[in-house]
Amino acid sequence: MYRIAEDFVQEWANASKGALKVMQAIPNDKMEVAIVEGHNSLGWLSWHLVKVAGAFGHFAGLQIPAPGPDMEQPETMAEIVEMYEEVREAYKKEVASLTEEQLLEEVPAFGGTMKRGALLRVVITHQTHHVGQMTVLLRQAGLNVPPVMGPTKEMQ
């Protein structure tokens, strides 16, 4: 849980930079790559991160620009990346102004409530989970995996 806004802002800067690199590594013709047919694809996972970041931001009372639940996945990665970059910058700006007291406030989340600082931890944990899935799918698709948290096999 975050108790100081700067702690989230710093961690978000690093985590979202890695997620952005992964999204930028996906060419349009590989957006449908999934571990097996019927599972989440690279395009779906990228779009999911944009949508869920918006929803979590809404729960936290933040002004995060994100698509509504009924907005369909864009056809190109460039469109998804552009929206993710907006979400990325909004989180940095919005959370930076939160006080320690605001991070401890209870906010609606997942059918109950949780502290805003705990919800912000979920934003990063959720994204990290899916970025890990995406790096596996990139390799499965024969694409280079960008460094997310350090050098990749391709860089050694």
Side-chain angles (χ1 to χ4, degrees):
M1 183 174 113
Y2 297 100
R3 289 181 167 78
I4 299 170
E6 183 59 25
D7 289 346
F8 173 85
V9 171
Q10 287 180 359
E11 191 168 358
W12 175 252
N14 290 329
S16 63
K17 180 180 177 183
L20 182 60
K21 286 180 186 178
V22 169
M23 289 181 196
Q24 290 170 329
I26 305 167
N28 292 335
D29 67 338
K30 300 291 185 178
M31 288 175 68
E32 296 306 316
V33 169
I35 193 87
V36 294
E37 189 175 331
H39 282 246
N40 299 337
S41 68
L42 283 166
W44 186 92
L45 287 163
S46 298
W47 185 235
H48 175 69
L49 290 179
V50 173
K51 289 177 70 171
V52 170
F56 288 0
H58 174 77
F59 295 154
L62 305 174
Q63 298 297 313
I64 306 298
D70 297 330
M71 186 173 173
E72 294 200 22
Q73 177 183 314
E75 292 184 22
T76 69
M77 283 306 301
E79 293 170 279
I80 295 173
V81 165
E82 181 180 338
M83 293 178 87
Y84 181 76
E85 288 174 318
E86 291 174 13
V87 166
R88 183 174 184 240
E89 291 306 313
Y91 263 103
K92 287 184 205 177
K93 180 181 173 192
E94 289 282 316
V95 175
S97 65
L98 294 176
T99 65
E100 292 177 31
E101 293 77 23
Q102 289 172 313
L103 289 169
L104 293 173
E105 287 176 355
E106 294 283 328
V107 295
F110 314 112
T113 64
M114 65 188 332
K115 289 181 175 29
R116 185 176 281 114
L119 179 59
L120 291 172
R121 176 76 247 161
V122 173
V123 170
I124 290 181
T125 302
H126 174 262
Q127 177 175 268
T128 301
H129 162 70
H130 287 306
V131 167
Q133 291 177 319
M134 293 165 73
T135 60
V136 170
L137 293 176
L138 285 173
R139 190 159 282 125
Q140 178 180 311
L143 301 168
N144 284 336
V145 176
V148 175
M149 297 188 77
T152 63
K153 180 173 175 44
E154 293 85 355
M155 298 171 74
Q156 296 175 0

